[in-house]
Amino acid sequence: MGVTDAMIIHHVGQHFSPSILRNFGVSYLFDKNVMSVLIFNCKITLIAVGSLIAVCVCIGWVLICQRKVITEGKTGWLPIFSVALLSLMLGGWVFNEKASSWVITHPPEVYFAKDLFGLSETPAPKIEEATIDLMRKGFSLSSQWGWKGKKYPLVRVSESSRVNSSSKKINEPPDILIIAVESLRAESLGFLNAADSNSLTPNLDNLAKQGVAFPNFISNGFPSDPGFFSIHTSIWPHRSKIINSDFASIQFDSLPLRLKKFGYHRMGFWGGAPNKVGQLAWGKKWYDEILTSENNKEGLHFSDAEFFQRFIKGVEEHDQKETGKPFFAYLANKGTHPSYETRGFYYATKEQKEEAAKFDTEKVENVQLRYNNVLQLVDLQIGKLVEFLKKRERWNNTVIIIVGDHSNITTELETTHLALPIDKYVWTGGLIYGPLRLVGPTPRREEFPASQVDILPTVIEMLGDKRPFVSLGTNLFADLPAEKRTAVALRPGGVRMDRGKYSLYVDSTNPDRFWWNRAHTSQELLPGNHPESPFTPQDAAELFENIRYASYLVENDRIWDDKFFKTVGK
């Protein structure tokens, strides 16, 4: 279980726990991408496996030496002493401070026991009114919004109408497309970092020349599941569980359900198998049309070429059947998933295979170079999609939002802070293209911190939706000072908050342990008591409390009520 714990922490970003098994299933533990973590982090693997073998050998030796004492039913002090000594030796490195930064702070058996006996729930705050005020203080709302009440503390209402507003048909609602690119690394995006001559993403660069770039955009968690849920519901990930699978009965406000009231045709497209990671069940609640690779005859995930072509065909059919009706689409590709390969995917035509062969990764050992190849391939497909959309009559009324579901490692090998939401796991960058009346003058760069939970309030305010809504984010186009904006990300080791040019990291179990660095640089994490720290112990304590309270609200079904707010549903 300890070896598995190390694998899951590195790949999934959470401890090996019942929550992991409920969401991914036992078979996922043997997925090639998970197993590859053992090879990539061979030092930790050797320590874990070596410790396991050493314990088995030592206990076996003790049993052999003491077999006579044991068979006679007498107590042998040597076995007891030996096992106790071994436990202390193995536990010493687990509980020291450096090991805790690896987040191997508890044996995985502890997490299973807590779940079994109902001890993993988040405790209620001592003074809830004060906690609510503290959380709301952390969000800067535009002047037209206020808070609803105490039962559902995250619900916002329009100040122009404190009662439940009805949805109103808006003039010329735009087509809206969200592309959640798998493992999108912000530092590899040309429109954020590179000159045109050496960019890996020329098609995204061209789109950025007509759009709004967000160089400091981060995902709210790692891996894909927290990002999927944050984009759709504007809720932070749970502090220790996976919302997709652990809270399937809880009601959430969501972007596609809201757009249903505006007459949108809703399409959810996955290049992989979302049913294996708990996303498809929510997709069936939220979308009119769904595409996944799970029913693919060849049993392979869709290549990015085939995936985007399937979506193009879906749009063509929509245009024929429902002329003039706006669509909302969520696209999650699979081709850029670790370990960054071009083979092993489904290609429908010879042309698709030949195109992918130009970016083949089979003989490329360097992980960063493999990533560069698959990134160029998905950029090519996005370029083809944009060219198709430009030919439609509704191109001048189309909004395209491009973000990553998360970032990911390539050649980096870190031995500390592995389970914190550091840049290599969550820094994805972002891009929004749309008409002037919706996104403002372009091109431009918005340097303030932003994250996936900002997408829902951005879209609904873009549409002029005045109904109550739930959000832990802020409209990206709201007229707010940059210093009042923050972005939050979670992993099992702790929570991160970006404010201004800096990042604050707080231990998941102890707010007195916190670090900071200059965001999106190679600067090492510095201790919170560093004399130049832009954050205070109070900042760390407030962030810690906000995360716990948000998880408490999820656990107690106090996020949203369809009937109470009368804004979504059938």
Side-chain angles (χ1 to χ4, degrees):
M1 291 181 75
V3 176
T4 304
D5 194 36
M7 282 196 307
I8 298 300
I9 285 175
H10 284 63
H11 183 66
V12 177
Q14 288 189 275
H15 280 285
F16 181 39
S17 65
S19 181
I20 288 292
L21 292 179
R22 284 191 291 267
N23 197 69
F24 295 97
V26 175
S27 63
Y28 191 75
L29 302 179
F30 303 97
D31 183 272
K32 66 177 182 179
N33 293 305
V34 178
M35 297 301 291
S36 67
V37 178
L38 287 176
I39 300 173
F40 186 77
N41 299 283
C42 57
K43 182 178 179 180
I44 294 177
T45 301
L46 290 174
I47 291 174
V49 176
S51 300
L52 180 63
I53 294 173
V55 169
C56 292
V57 170
C58 291
I59 291 179
W61 174 80
V62 169
L63 292 176
I64 292 173
C65 294
Q66 294 293 304
R67 62 186 182 279
K68 183 176 181 180
V69 174
I70 293 173
T71 55
E72 293 177 355
K74 298 179 180 179
T75 301
W77 288 106
L78 180 58
I80 297 174
F81 174 78
S82 300
V83 172
L85 180 61
L86 286 170
S87 299
L88 288 173
M89 292 172 61
L90 293 172
W93 74 275
V94 169
F95 289 99
N96 69 32
E97 184 170 351
K98 186 173 182 179
S100 67
S101 66
W102 297 347
V103 194
I104 311 178
T105 53
H106 298 97
E109 292 87 345
V110 171
Y111 296 96
F112 278 81
K114 285 184 175 180
D115 188 86
L116 179 64
F117 294 107
L119 302 176
S120 59
E121 286 78 11
T122 305
K126 294 180 180 179
I127 306 175
E128 187 167 13
E129 289 77 10
T131 303
I132 292 173
D133 292 340
L134 175 65
M135 172 166 276
R136 289 174 174 175
K137 186 184 73 172
F139 298 98
S140 298
L141 302 184
S142 52
S143 59
Q144 60 180 319
W145 295 99
W147 299 104
K148 173 65 179 177
K150 304 297 184 182
K151 184 176 182 180
Y152 299 99
L154 304 182
V155 174
R156 304 176 183 183
V157 295
S158 172
E159 291 286 5
S160 60
S161 176
R162 298 292 294 183
V163 298
N164 293 334
S165 304
S166 60
S167 63
K168 298 180 180 179
K169 186 176 180 62
I170 62 173
N171 293 325
E172 300 182 8
D175 291 336
I176 302 172
L177 171 58
I178 297 177
I179 305 177
V181 180
E182 170 67 41
S183 300
L184 189 65
R185 291 166 56 93
E187 59 189 298
S188 298
L189 298 176
F191 67 91
L192 296 183
N193 306 288
D196 291 343
S197 59
N198 59 357
S199 173
L200 298 172
T201 56
N203 293 290
L204 289 176
D205 299 350
N206 288 334
L207 193 63
K209 292 175 182 178
Q210 309 167 62
V212 186
F214 297 89
N216 298 315
F217 192 99
I218 62 174
S219 67
N220 291 109
F222 178 95
S224 301
D225 296 303
F228 164 80
F229 222 79
S230 294
I231 288 172
H232 282 81
T233 68
S234 195
I235 295 295
W236 293 332
H238 190 275
R239 65 186 184 91
S240 61
K241 298 184 179 182
I242 300 174
I243 294 180
N244 289 2
S245 54
D246 289 324
F247 302 100
S249 62
I250 302 300
Q251 292 188 38
F252 292 92
D253 189 12
S254 75
L255 186 54
L257 282 182
R258 300 186 71 87
L259 295 182
K260 179 181 180 180
K261 286 289 186 177
F262 283 94
Y264 275 80
H265 176 67
R266 301 158 300 158
M267 298 183 282
F269 279 46
W270 286 263
N275 195 43
K276 294 182 179 180
V277 291
Q279 296 181 21
L280 188 57
W282 294 96
K284 289 180 178 179
K285 296 179 182 179
W286 294 337
Y287 289 101
D288 303 306
E289 180 182 348
I290 288 177
L291 173 75
T292 77
S293 66
E294 288 169 309
N295 295 323
N296 189 19
K297 296 179 181 179
E298 288 73 12
L300 300 173
H301 295 313
F302 290 131
S303 65
D304 284 345
E306 177 63 11
F307 174 64
F308 283 96
Q309 282 302 312
R310 295 276 182 120
F311 174 67
I312 288 174
K313 291 179 182 177
V315 174
E316 290 175 336
E317 292 176 359
H318 164 73
D319 289 344
Q320 292 175 359
K321 295 178 181 178
E322 300 178 286
T323 305
K325 183 175 183 178
F327 74 77
F328 168 73
Y330 173 79
L331 303 185
N333 76 307
K334 189 68 174 181
T336 45
H337 194 283
S339 50
Y340 315 123
E341 300 173 352
T342 53
R343 302 194 181 189
F345 290 95
Y346 173 67
Y347 296 93
T349 65
K350 178 181 178 181
E351 289 74 20
Q352 289 181 357
K353 291 183 179 180
E354 292 175 347
E355 181 183 68
K358 300 175 184 177
F359 304 92
D360 189 49
T361 60
E362 184 179 20
K363 297 182 180 180
V364 181
E365 295 184 3
N366 183 280
V367 183
Q368 181 62 54
L369 294 180
R370 291 210 307 270
Y371 179 81
N372 292 350
N373 282 9
V374 298
L375 179 63
Q376 292 178 81
L377 190 53
V378 74
D379 176 77
L380 179 61
Q381 309 312 322
I382 292 176
K384 292 180 181 179
L385 172 61
V386 171
E387 288 304 311
F388 162 76
L389 295 174
K390 284 182 177 180
K391 297 175 182 178
R392 298 176 69 238
E393 293 182 1
R394 293 179 58 81
W395 168 246
N396 292 326
N397 197 23
T398 299
V399 174
I400 303 175
I401 301 173
I402 298 176
V403 296
D405 61 344
H406 52 75
S407 184
N408 218 322
I409 57 175
T410 53
T411 55
E412 305 97 336
L413 182 60
E414 177 117 14
T415 56
T416 58
H417 308 299
L418 279 174
L420 290 176
I422 51 183
D423 277 350
K424 64 184 178 183
Y425 291 117
V426 301
W427 182 29
T428 78
L431 170 63
I432 299 181
Y433 166 87
L436 174 67
R437 64 186 175 86
L438 299 179
V439 305
T442 59
R444 73 179 193 274
R445 289 167 65 100
E446 297 289 4
E447 301 287 347
F448 53 75
S451 69
Q452 292 161 334
V453 292
D454 297 325
I455 293 176
L456 184 148
T458 300
V459 172
I460 67 172
E461 292 191 47
M462 186 184 292
L463 298 178
D465 188 351
K466 299 298 183 182
R467 296 170 295 169
F469 73 100
V470 175
S471 177
L472 285 170
T474 304
N475 177 8
L476 292 169
F477 299 132
D479 185 17
L480 293 171
E483 61 270 16
K484 289 189 176 183
R485 291 182 179 269
T486 59
V488 169
L490 276 75
R491 291 199 75 217
V495 57
R496 163 183 178 161
M497 179 184 70
D498 286 3
R499 187 178 66 194
K501 298 180 180 180
Y502 299 93
S503 299
L504 167 68
Y505 301 86
V506 183
D507 187 285
S508 61
T509 60
N510 182 3
D512 293 330
R513 295 188 67 214
F514 66 97
W515 307 266
W516 66 278
N517 70 352
R518 191 176 180 87
H520 315 313
T521 67
S522 58
Q523 182 181 12
E524 294 292 327
L525 269 62
L526 301 172
N529 59 3
H530 191 279
E532 297 180 5
S533 174
F535 300 102
T536 66
Q538 182 178 353
D539 292 328
E542 290 182 355
L543 178 59
F544 181 85
E545 184 62 28
N546 285 344
I547 294 301
R548 291 176 68 84
Y549 186 58
S551 296
Y552 169 80
L553 293 175
V554 170
E555 292 172 20
N556 290 274
D557 196 6
R558 291 177 56 193
I559 299 296
W560 182 255
D561 187 320
D562 292 348
K563 295 180 180 179
F564 184 79
F565 293 106
K566 300 178 182 178
T567 60
V568 294
K570 295 182 180 180

